[in-house]
Amino acid sequence: MSEFGLATRGMGLAAQFKILKRHGYSLLRHMTPAKLANFVRAEANALLRSSTPGSYPYILKIESTNICSLRCHHCYDDRRPPREGERPYGRMRLEDFRKVVDETGRYLFKINLYGFGEPWLFPETFAMIRYATERNIGVGVSSNMNHRDMSLNEQIVASGLEVLIFSCHGATQETYRRFMGNGDMDLAFRNIREVIAARRRLNRATPLIDWQFCVTGFNEHEIGAARRIAAEMGVDQVRFIRPLFPPDASPEWFSKMFPKVQQTASEKTPTRCPWLYRSAYVNYDGGVLPCCRDTRVIANDYGNSRDQDFRAIWNNATYAASRRLVARPDGVPGGPRTLCASCPIVLERRRGG
């Protein structure tokens, strides 16, 4: 099944269209001649598989922090301490965020301001959202919404946030905690209701609230209940997606909707990687990666936006080698070895010829 080149994998058509709707909204809302020209160049370069495109990403994923208040099972290696050579826990400095936006903002429709942490833990997240929105860039945040400071809910709406992805993987507290560890589902629902109330009170159309529900064997029976709760609360949309679990995860983590099956490379990914032309992942410490895979290992970084111009990183030797490799996995790409060389999809395509 085609996934329209989306970065999020493992979704049915309905869930894919819901993400496309979000992206389309940002594209139309923040369109300028310069952004449109860059968008066209980026898509053309992706089709031509250029190794050094004369275009820049039009969506960035910027991690404000990798610190989280919850301990969801299988998330970020179960929140284990970092090992030697791995990124420690931390948070992005506002000046580092501003630098990336200043260098790339004229091309961006959207910033996804989240990674492997909880954005609302730190107040600078709101300053980051405002800085981007004031420069005509839409911002999305993914949150477990387990904060106890109720004043944050009005701040979320007033900040100009465009999309709020609500991570909630159950419709009863028992099932929710089985996935989300020490989380409090009732608290999360209360905060979502408060955000929706603040949106009405402030006469705002945003943020669009997108409930993301990872389907497992033990929560699959609550899909109907989740739809009813979403409608009752006034959530804009709910998506049911395949979680990414390690191969040795126990059977309860796999569902009838998304069973544990051995997929072929063609089923897992398109032949053209959308990240290498459309987007990039910026860690909280400035480390730049082509995607959100293996973000812990510092040696994987393609450069660091704290002390390098992002646009120079985007077309450096490491990025060029990755684009050549993905274009021809069975060829000899040349240049430095990159994170993409260890991608399971590249390895699978090499084995398949």
Side-chain angles (χ1 to χ4, degrees):
M1 179 186 295
S2 170
E3 298 207 1
F4 303 104
L6 295 173
T8 303
R9 317 300 300 163
M11 299 180 291
L13 282 173
Q16 293 176 53
F17 278 119
K18 287 173 182 176
I19 288 185
L20 287 171
K21 182 173 73 173
R22 284 188 350 222
H23 290 332
Y25 178 80
S26 294
L27 189 147
L28 293 174
R29 190 180 189 196
H30 304 291
M31 180 71 72
T32 67
K35 291 180 181 183
L36 177 60
N38 180 71
F39 173 84
V40 172
R41 286 196 301 269
E43 292 302 311
N45 284 317
L47 287 171
L48 296 171
R49 305 188 185 194
S50 170
S51 61
T52 52
S55 57
Y56 296 98
Y58 52 83
I59 299 175
L60 277 185
K61 190 160 188 174
I62 302 179
E63 178 183 70
S64 61
T65 182
N66 62 356
I67 300 170
C68 190
S69 52
L70 302 189
R71 296 181 64 89
C72 297
H73 294 287
H74 295 299
C75 180
Y76 209 57
D77 299 328
D78 291 320
R79 296 280 150 190
R80 63 167 173 77
R83 298 167 183 155
E84 184 177 356
E86 292 185 335
R87 213 174 306 276
Y89 290 100
R91 55 204 269 203
M92 179 172 273
R93 302 180 305 192
L94 180 58
E95 58 264 35
D96 295 334
F97 177 84
R98 287 172 172 166
K99 179 178 181 294
V100 174
V101 173
D102 290 346
E103 291 168 355
T104 62
R106 70 187 303 263
Y107 312 112
L108 296 177
F109 293 101
K110 188 173 184 180
I111 291 173
N112 288 323
L113 189 58
Y114 58 90
F116 289 95
E118 172 51 47
W120 305 134
L121 286 178
F122 303 111
E124 57 266 27
T125 298
F126 292 105
M128 293 174 182
I129 294 169
R130 286 191 293 270
Y131 193 80
T133 56
E134 287 168 358
R135 284 152 184 80
N136 192 32
I137 305 167
V139 180
V141 159
S142 180
S143 171
N144 57 53
M145 297 300 287
N146 263 243
H147 52 268
R148 297 190 178 277
D149 182 355
M150 294 296 114
S151 70
L152 292 183
N153 297 315
E154 186 157 320
Q155 292 182 58
I156 288 170
V157 177
S159 70
L161 183 70
E162 195 164 276
V163 175
L164 174 58
I165 300 172
F166 172 41
S167 292
C168 178
H169 315 309
T172 63
Q173 181 67 18
E174 179 182 6
T175 300
Y176 175 91
R177 283 210 165 179
R178 198 167 170 182
F179 194 122
M180 304 190 72
N182 57 323
D184 185 334
M185 186 192 72
D186 292 333
L187 175 63
F189 284 166
R190 178 184 174 188
N191 283 319
I192 287 294
R193 289 187 175 96
E194 288 290 329
V195 169
I196 293 170
R199 197 171 62 177
R200 288 195 298 264
R201 187 167 57 250
L202 298 176
N203 195 28
R204 300 285 185 92
T206 57
L208 179 143
I209 299 174
D210 180 12
W211 180 350
Q212 181 169 274
F213 187 113
C214 291
V215 180
T216 68
F218 58 80
N219 69 14
E220 189 172 24
H221 67 285
E222 295 184 351
I223 287 176
R227 286 195 175 104
R228 290 192 296 272
I229 293 169
E232 178 270 322
M233 288 195 298
V235 168
D236 297 289
Q237 61 185 38
V238 56
R239 289 180 293 113
F240 300 98
I241 69 170
R242 179 196 299 273
L244 297 179
F245 295 130
D248 59 352
S250 59
E252 66 178 355
W253 292 97
F254 302 94
S255 62
K256 292 179 181 178
M257 178 180 284
F258 299 117
K260 184 178 182 179
V261 294
Q262 186 64 42
Q263 295 169 301
T264 66
S266 62
E267 290 172 326
K268 285 182 178 178
T269 189
T271 56
R272 298 178 179 89
C273 175
W275 282 89
L276 290 170
Y277 298 93
R278 299 174 181 171
S279 189
Y281 189 99
V282 183
N283 288 281
Y284 79 87
D285 61 356
V288 176
L289 289 166
C291 69
C292 55
R293 179 175 174 268
D294 291 343
T295 64
R296 299 191 78 147
V297 181
I298 297 172
N300 287 336
D301 292 355
Y302 283 34
N304 194 290
S305 60
R306 281 183 175 177
D307 50 29
Q308 298 171 272
D309 189 307
F310 180 91
R311 292 163 294 187
I313 298 171
W314 182 248
N315 277 318
N316 66 15
T318 309
Y319 252 112
S322 288
R323 294 185 183 108
R324 288 194 297 270
L325 175 65
V326 173
R328 284 197 60 196
D330 55 340
V332 180
R337 179 175 174 83
T338 75
L339 175 66
C340 296
S342 62
C343 174
I345 306 307
V346 170
L347 298 176
E348 179 73 19
R349 287 173 59 199
R350 279 178 170 172
R351 287 193 292 269

